[in-house]
Amino acid sequence: MKHQPPPQKRAWSLNSRATRGVIFQVLTLALVVAGIWFLWHNMQENMRIRGIESGWNFLGSTAGFDIGETMVEYDPSESYGKAIWVGVLNTLKVAVVGIVLTTLLGVLIGVGRFSRNALVRGLCYGYVELFRNVPILLQLLMWYLIFIEVLPPSNEAWNMAGLFFLSKGGLSFPFPTDGVGQVLAGAAIGLVGAWFWRDRKQKHFELTGQNSNRIWGPAALILIFAVVGWAVAGMPTTWDVPKQLVFMVDGGVAATPEFMAVLVGLVIYTAAFIAEVVRSGIQSVSAGQVEAALALGLNQKQNMKLVVLPQALRVIIPPMTNQYLNLTKNSSLAVAVGYPDVVSIANTTINQSGRAVECIAIIMLVYLATSLSTSAFMNWYNQRMAIKER
Amino acid sequence: MADTFIPIASRPSPVKVTGVAPWMRHNLFANWRSSLTTLFVIGLVLYVLPGFANWAVFNAVVRADADACQAARGVGACWGVVTEKYRLILFGRYPFEQHWRPLLATSIMVGGLVLSCVRYFWKPWLVTMWVGVLAVFFTLMGGGIFGLEPVRTDLWGGLPLTIMLATLSIFLAFPIAILVALGRRSHLPAIRSVCIVYIELIRGVPLISVLFMASFMFPLFMPQGMTIDVLVRVVVGITLFAAAYMAEIIRGGLQALPKGQLEAADTLGLSYWQTQRKIVLPQALAMTVPTMMGNFISIFKDTSLVFIVSLYELVGAMSLALNSDVNWRPFKIEAYLFITLVYFIFCISMSRYSLWVEKQLSASKAR
Amino acid sequence: MSEESIIKFDQVNKWYGNDFHVLRDINLDVAKGERIVVCGPSGSGKSTLIRCINRLEEHQQGRLTVDGVEITDDVKAIDKVRKNVGMVFQQFNLFPHLTVLENLTLSPMWVGKMAKKEAEERAMQQLERVRIAEQAAKFPLQLSGGQQQRVAIARALCLTPKIMLFDEPTSALDPEMVKEVLDVMLELANQGITMICVTHEMGFAKAVADRVIFMDQGQIVEENTPEAFFNNPQNERSKDFLSKILGH
């Protein structure tokens, strides 16, 4: 029988689902476009009437305000654009350090919920309940207040071993004057070497069945290369050590009370949520999995490494990434304690230049970029790691 | 090989497993590491607790006496700041003599909320009741009729403001969230794109930027001459923010619904909206209750941010009360602790309620 | 009676908490190569009994000896025992994040210290034994229930155990898959391995068991050859149980 193409669909009946769908969409789009046009038109009118200028050229004009702490060189004669960039760097600084610290703390507390000791379990539970149920803004303000009230004035800072100074002026710690770059580069090379070492060990294990420790060797390798980097830099031994002067502490690298308040507040708050994510991840691995592993003769360490952790991590990583995003977004509250993050600087810019729309757009763009890239990473991760089912 | 069978009676265990001593042995002193930890924690508590108890309770000043508080600085807590300023903290800049109005309005709203939590009252007239409660609330707070002195919305503050913002935003966001969630799952690409853009945009930015947008840009969006009340701007901002998150949660519930439900509804001849209303939404929403409650708690906590756009809820009211009064300004920590307690009580009640609801729902599912 | 018992229960008692006496004065000798079916109503302690053998459950009183090793809290003894005892669970408990082949090579490589190639060869042999070799590269959740349980049996066999324990292996399967698993167990039974099987499948018991043990409320009520037990139960409780499961 000759192959016949399928019969043509009768097009454009008003009752067909397809037609209705198209009409519905056209109407909705028209509505949305009309709505946006209406708002936009009003905005243009209002801005014209109020004499508010628009445009992005303000980014080139002089900022005229100083910024409390900066990661790059900055002075008030620089442009608004530079000031906002400083803000972005400050946000990144607190976000990156915060994410590292909160992961450590959150995982500790999350695992502590399963401790054999009832006191540890209770303390972890209490920690989570306390810090999850108080608004983050309140926590930031409290930490800032505590640092300001409790810390001594700069002329009589607390010091530890004469190297670390803590006062209302901040936390000063010693930092090497040079060679840092070379040491880090050495460590990076060592890291690559360590990766190859572990790869060789894995192949050896597969070949012979003998498993040996894979931590100490690679760690030593990283250390050795870091030392080599230090040697290449000329073996510098000078450190910028803070000293207590009459009125203040000078030298070293200082973390301001504002930075510390934001960091500590964010870390402690987010750790409570991460602890819950870790706890539910570990709980999601059914007891039967552990029993099967034990019945096969695996010991506790192997059980954790080969059976529980791989499955738990798949459940933990997506919400954990979400918490990282929340920490980054919550860092916008730094404006309440005076830490110059991007929102705080944009706020000052709005007050001075009147360009509310543009500045808010910049803020949203910065955070959107972070969120969308993290979402993209998470989607990729989920697809790769998904447990394959029918 | 059949011996006569003698049933063996049950005996109690020779090694006691339950009871205080065995519990302590198993949970506190199971091995040397656990025992060390127990001793360490107890030592820490014994070291810290007396000092803290002295500061917070024994040496504390409760009377509203600024001088006594100054004298006790560093040694005892000054709860007098709470005794003195609690009305300013709780009610913000609302006219002092009219404080009975926000008190009554808040009590009615909280009463309405508690009522809505009890399963017995989950009837259709609940919605009407809520419209009534909100009407009463705004009349009492705003005044202007029934002989009540009018009070501008920018004077509203403190706890009534917090509760109102949270409740109103959630109330308004709910229908929006349902529509957006359904839209995101729609087969029509235009609708789906609009919803996705909305959700991803809002979820990708911090609440503070949405509040800034609402506060600075909303007036610009309105036709010339129309002024928007500051409270309205903030409610719109929080509502739009909350709706995006709630839409994602509802979408999760919709996804978890077995496809068979939709197919069954189709074969019964139900239209799209009938299916959603009668079959899909009741089940999907029930599945999302725990996550949704968590979201409500977040929104409640997030209302504290309106402090940054000059609405004086609890935190803002407290700053206002203390910054303007030199005598009491040094005692901010105690005031902060008071507000922390208020938030904590509300949030933990909500989370306990959420756990209770979860248990109720899973009990109805268990065979 | 017990010159070569590979498993010996001597007045074994177990409690959950203070008062739930789940195993009462269990005395049981299992000879090498013997095939035993344990049956009984739910809550009778049959699963607990076999889980004590590889220390997934701990007994509080009495002596339990497996292959000459007494089972106590001694971790080394437990490890030795677990290398010789294979277990198949009702819920399969395959590791979903590993392929079928990786599920099987896990223990030989990490516990048995085998090289990967050797472990994989042995794994493929076991997979062929249960007739599922073509699924080696798939993931467990891509297989049907019956296939998963057969993989679970192969995984336990990779250790070359002297004893195989089955805890209701077909109870979680759809009816049409029960046969494929029972066929594999039948073949296994005819190859000389010591088997203890908790099951409700009485046809299997009749075909394979050397001894049927009936448990109720934590104690062994009756033990006999299958013919004797099914045709002529001696005890009221046994009769009652049999009428319930064979009646319809």
Side-chain angles (χ1 to χ4, degrees):
Chain A
M1 166 134 177
K2 211 174 97 177
H3 167 73
Q4 293 192 324
Q8 275 278 28
K9 280 203 212 169
R10 245 193 28 171
W12 307 127
S13 141
L14 203 61
N15 277 328
S16 85
R17 248 185 178 164
T19 322
R20 282 203 179 155
V22 171
I23 295 181
F24 194 44
Q25 288 181 80
V26 168
L27 277 176
T28 315
L29 274 179
L31 213 72
V32 169
V33 168
I36 294 182
W37 182 87
F38 176 67
L39 295 176
W40 186 262
H41 177 79
N42 284 336
M43 190 171 83
Q44 301 282 56
E45 266 298 305
N46 283 318
M47 283 171 71
R48 193 183 56 81
I49 292 177
R50 298 180 199 200
I52 302 176
E53 293 168 15
S54 72
W56 297 94
N57 49 9
F58 77 100
L59 284 175
S61 354
T62 314
F65 58 86
D66 198 7
I67 299 182
E69 51 184 295
T70 65
M71 281 189 61
V72 296
E73 297 293 317
Y74 171 84
D75 66 72
S77 68
E78 308 234 31
S79 66
Y80 282 125
K82 182 78 184 287
I84 292 181
W85 173 241
V86 168
V88 170
L89 287 176
N90 279 341
T91 300
L92 281 177
K93 179 167 82 167
V94 78
V96 168
V97 178
I99 286 178
V100 169
L101 291 177
T102 200
T103 309
L104 288 171
L105 184 60
V107 168
L108 267 174
I109 297 180
V111 170
R113 293 282 297 261
F114 297 100
S115 165
R116 280 208 78 169
N117 187 307
L119 284 179
V120 172
R121 283 200 306 265
L123 281 176
C124 292
Y125 175 72
Y127 177 96
V128 170
E129 289 300 300
L130 178 63
F131 290 106
R132 278 204 316 176
N133 286 312
V134 178
I136 174 68
L137 181 65
L138 196 50
Q139 294 188 39
L140 282 182
L141 291 171
M142 285 260 277
W143 284 111
Y144 188 55
L145 196 64
I146 290 178
F147 283 146
I148 296 291
E149 294 261 322
V150 168
L151 291 180
S154 315
N155 50 356
E156 30 180 271
W158 290 339
N159 79 58
M160 215 168 59
L163 290 175
F164 296 89
F165 289 86
L166 189 58
S167 71
K168 286 201 216 290
L171 172 69
S172 296
F173 49 90
F175 202 72
T177 41
D178 32 36
V180 176
Q182 287 90 334
V183 168
L184 285 178
I189 297 179
L191 202 68
V192 173
W195 190 80
F196 277 112
W197 181 309
R198 280 177 66 96
D199 200 45
R200 248 198 57 196
K201 283 256 168 193
Q202 172 73 9
K203 293 205 163 54
H204 178 78
F205 168 65
E206 290 179 3
L207 210 58
T208 63
Q210 282 165 2
N211 191 26
S212 43
N213 193 290
R214 302 185 200 179
I215 304 277
W216 298 122
L221 198 66
I222 297 178
L223 199 63
I224 293 176
F225 271 94
V227 170
V228 167
W230 175 71
V232 163
M235 300 206 230
T237 49
T238 49
W239 284 60
D240 192 2
V241 179
K243 284 177 292 296
Q244 173 80 72
L245 299 184
V246 175
F247 288 122
M248 54 181 258
V249 175
D250 189 34
V253 168
T256 60
E258 288 80 18
F259 176 75
M260 285 198 297
V262 174
L263 186 69
V264 170
L266 285 176
V267 164
I268 292 192
Y269 179 74
T270 317
F273 290 87
I274 290 193
E276 274 301 279
V277 167
V278 168
R279 181 190 64 89
S280 68
I282 295 181
Q283 269 184 338
S284 75
V285 181
S286 70
Q289 292 286 303
V290 177
E291 286 185 349
L294 292 178
L296 285 174
L298 269 59
N299 63 33
Q300 278 294 359
K301 235 179 66 168
Q302 293 166 327
N303 172 33
M304 259 295 144
K305 177 175 148 187
L306 299 167
V307 175
V308 175
L309 271 184
Q311 296 185 61
L313 277 178
R314 281 171 167 88
V315 176
I316 290 177
I317 302 256
M320 183 109 112
T321 324
N322 216 20
Q323 290 306 323
Y324 291 166
L325 266 177
N326 283 344
L327 186 140
T328 313
K329 287 191 284 183
N330 282 334
S331 72
S332 59
L333 294 175
V335 66
V337 299
Y339 176 71
D341 78 314
V342 67
V343 170
S344 167
I345 293 187
N347 196 21
T348 318
T349 311
I350 293 179
N351 286 333
Q352 281 196 207
S353 69
R355 307 293 183 97
V357 179
E358 288 84 349
C359 286
I360 293 178
I362 293 178
I363 298 176
M364 293 177 87
L365 226 80
V366 168
Y367 283 104
L368 260 182
T370 330
S371 303
L372 289 179
S373 42
T374 317
S375 293
F377 164 76
M378 219 168 61
N379 282 334
W380 168 84
Y381 175 85
N382 269 342
Q383 282 194 352
R384 252 202 63 172
M385 300 304 256
I387 287 183
K388 299 194 182 34
E389 304 189 8
R390 281 171 166 253
Chain B
M1 212 197 42
D3 310 341
T4 32
F5 168 66
I6 311 158
I8 303 173
S10 164
R11 305 193 293 275
S13 167
V15 177
K16 280 247 161 286
V17 174
T18 57
V20 176
W23 183 90
M24 280 178 67
R25 194 174 48 235
H26 189 250
N27 284 305
L28 296 177
F29 301 104
N31 52 38
W32 64 266
R33 213 165 5 158
S34 183
S35 313
L36 261 170
T37 318
T38 306
L39 292 174
F40 176 72
V41 171
I42 294 183
L44 201 65
V45 168
L46 288 177
Y47 181 67
V48 168
L49 203 59
F52 183 72
N54 274 332
W55 179 83
V57 180
F58 300 120
N59 296 338
V61 175
V62 183
R63 300 183 325 273
D65 185 345
D67 296 320
C69 273
Q70 274 289 3
R73 266 205 95 171
V75 176
C78 176
W79 301 120
V81 73
V82 175
T83 334
E84 169 78 14
K85 299 278 182 183
Y86 76 94
R87 278 177 67 170
L88 281 178
I89 297 177
L90 286 179
F91 296 114
R93 292 192 298 168
Y94 207 88
F96 205 80
E97 330 69 52
Q98 307 274 340
H99 274 181
W100 64 270
R101 283 164 58 185
L103 184 63
L104 184 61
T106 315
S107 315
I108 293 180
M109 186 170 283
V110 172
L113 284 167
V114 171
L115 223 69
S116 312
C117 292
V118 178
R119 198 170 188 161
Y120 182 69
F121 294 109
W122 292 353
K123 306 252 174 61
W125 52 258
L126 197 66
V127 184
T128 339
M129 181 207 87
W130 264 109
V131 176
V133 165
L134 285 172
V136 168
F137 183 87
F138 283 108
T139 328
L140 271 175
M141 291 288 287
I145 55 173
F146 300 138
L148 294 170
E149 192 186 304
V151 179
R152 288 191 338 264
T153 52
D154 59 318
L155 290 180
W156 298 9
L159 196 58
L161 185 66
T162 304
I163 295 186
M164 183 217 85
L165 283 176
T167 313
L168 196 59
S169 308
I170 293 175
F171 208 58
L172 293 174
F174 215 89
I176 301 178
I178 293 181
L179 286 175
V180 172
L182 289 175
R184 196 176 190 293
R185 298 215 348 131
S186 157
H187 297 299
L188 309 172
I191 313 258
R192 202 169 60 233
S193 321
V194 168
C195 294
I196 291 182
V197 166
Y198 168 69
I199 293 179
E200 292 301 315
L201 188 72
I202 298 282
R203 277 163 46 102
V205 298
L207 175 58
I208 218 178
S209 64
V210 174
L211 285 177
F212 272 172
M213 205 170 79
S215 170
F216 286 125
M217 287 167 68
F218 205 157
L220 294 177
F221 285 143
M222 289 296 110
Q224 203 236 322
M226 213 168 114
T227 50
I228 302 287
D229 192 271
V230 65
L231 206 61
V232 172
R233 290 183 235 165
V234 165
V235 168
V236 168
I238 300 184
T239 304
L240 287 177
F241 189 77
Y245 284 83
M246 284 163 67
E248 275 297 277
I249 297 176
I250 296 178
R251 184 173 77 100
L254 290 173
Q255 261 179 328
L257 197 67
K259 242 174 69 163
Q261 297 286 309
L262 291 168
E263 291 171 351
D266 251 353
T267 61
L268 288 171
L270 296 175
S271 77
Y272 176 77
W273 289 108
Q274 282 171 330
T275 318
Q276 300 305 326
R277 245 187 44 183
K278 300 260 172 201
I279 312 282
V280 173
L281 284 176
Q283 294 186 62
L285 290 177
M287 275 193 266
T288 61
V289 166
T291 328
M292 197 66 104
M293 285 294 318
N295 198 38
F296 291 170
I297 299 178
S298 296
I299 297 176
F300 184 77
K301 290 189 297 180
D302 285 342
T303 58
S304 55
L305 264 68
V306 304
F307 156 58
I308 299 189
V309 289
S310 305
L311 271 180
Y312 296 100
E313 46 63 69
L314 280 174
V315 179
M318 186 223 78
S319 297
L320 212 60
L322 290 186
N323 281 339
S324 50
D325 190 339
V326 175
N327 292 332
W328 294 104
R329 212 187 314 168
F331 306 109
K332 269 192 171 172
I333 289 194
E334 287 87 343
Y336 271 133
L337 284 174
F338 171 61
I339 304 180
T340 309
L341 188 67
V342 173
Y343 270 113
F344 186 74
I345 292 179
F346 273 94
C347 290
I348 213 163
S349 322
M350 284 197 271
S351 85
R352 285 285 159 266
Y353 172 69
S354 154
L355 286 173
W356 176 83
V357 170
E358 236 185 296
K359 239 192 297 205
Q360 292 280 316
L361 285 179
S362 61
S364 72
K365 279 196 226 133
R367 296 210 264 149
Chain C
M1 163 139 226
S2 56
E3 5 72 350
E4 267 301 333
S5 335
I6 198 167
I7 301 178
K8 188 171 161 61
F9 282 80
D10 187 3
Q11 285 292 107
V12 170
N13 281 282
K14 179 179 167 61
W15 287 264
Y16 281 132
N18 274 345
D19 296 311
F20 184 21
H21 197 175
V22 62
L23 289 179
R24 307 182 192 184
D25 293 340
I26 303 283
N27 287 298
L28 178 64
D29 288 325
V30 178
K32 200 151 174 241
E34 199 177 352
R35 296 150 316 179
I36 297 194
V37 164
V38 182
C39 62
S42 68
S44 55
K46 24 188 227 298
S47 287
T48 315
L49 180 79
I50 67 170
R51 285 155 66 94
C52 284
I53 297 178
N54 65 356
R55 199 67 171 181
L56 285 183
E57 300 276 0
E58 295 176 10
H59 60 278
Q60 280 85 27
Q61 219 178 47
R63 280 182 59 141
L64 173 53
T65 318
V66 176
D67 197 24
V69 177
E70 187 183 343
I71 302 220
T72 58
D73 276 330
D74 181 5
V75 177
K76 294 229 163 40
I78 298 176
D79 278 345
K80 247 181 97 184
V81 165
R82 285 179 178 164
K83 289 193 185 113
N84 281 321
V85 175
M87 184 150 188
V88 176
F89 298 86
Q90 183 178 356
Q91 301 296 337
F92 332 140
N93 286 335
L94 293 177
F95 304 130
H97 59 295
L98 303 174
T99 62
V100 162
L101 193 66
E102 286 166 350
N103 261 276
L104 267 67
T105 57
L106 186 73
S107 184
M109 279 173 71
W110 289 89
V111 181
K113 302 213 186 322
M114 252 189 186
K116 187 165 172 196
K117 237 166 70 101
E118 252 187 86
E120 285 183 350
E121 274 169 21
R122 180 189 286 194
M124 289 306 289
Q125 275 173 10
Q126 300 305 330
L127 286 177
E128 274 164 23
R129 202 169 163 186
V130 301
R131 289 191 293 272
I132 204 168
E134 69 280 3
Q135 311 284 2
K138 292 245 180 90
F139 285 88
L141 294 176
Q142 292 173 311
L143 305 176
S144 75
Q147 290 171 319
Q148 288 188 50
Q149 192 61 299
R150 285 190 279 149
V151 170
I153 297 177
R155 180 176 68 173
L157 289 175
C158 270
L159 304 168
T160 53
K162 296 184 186 159
I163 303 168
M164 279 289 275
L165 303 174
F166 293 85
D167 188 358
E168 304 211 36
T170 55
S171 300
L173 295 175
D174 293 334
E176 65 269 19
M177 298 190 216
V178 170
K179 180 175 186 311
E180 70 191 66
V181 174
L182 287 181
D183 283 343
V184 165
M185 286 166 68
L186 253 155
E187 273 183 38
L188 219 58
N190 292 329
Q191 285 164 13
I193 203 168
T194 313
M195 268 171 73
I196 306 186
C197 187
V198 173
T199 184
H200 298 302
E201 296 289 331
M202 295 301 128
F204 177 76
K206 283 190 203 166
V208 153
D210 296 319
R211 236 198 303 174
V212 171
I213 294 179
F214 174 68
M215 279 183 74
D216 190 15
Q217 288 184 5
Q219 61 178 121
I220 297 179
V221 174
E222 195 170 329
E223 47 180 319
N224 221 329
T225 60
E227 303 79 41
F229 179 72
F230 288 119
N231 299 329
N232 196 10
Q234 297 287 324
N235 191 284
E236 273 315 306
R237 294 201 211 165
S238 324
K239 288 185 191 149
D240 195 37
F241 176 72
L242 282 174
S243 73
K244 287 206 185 95
I245 66 166
L246 296 175
H248 56 273

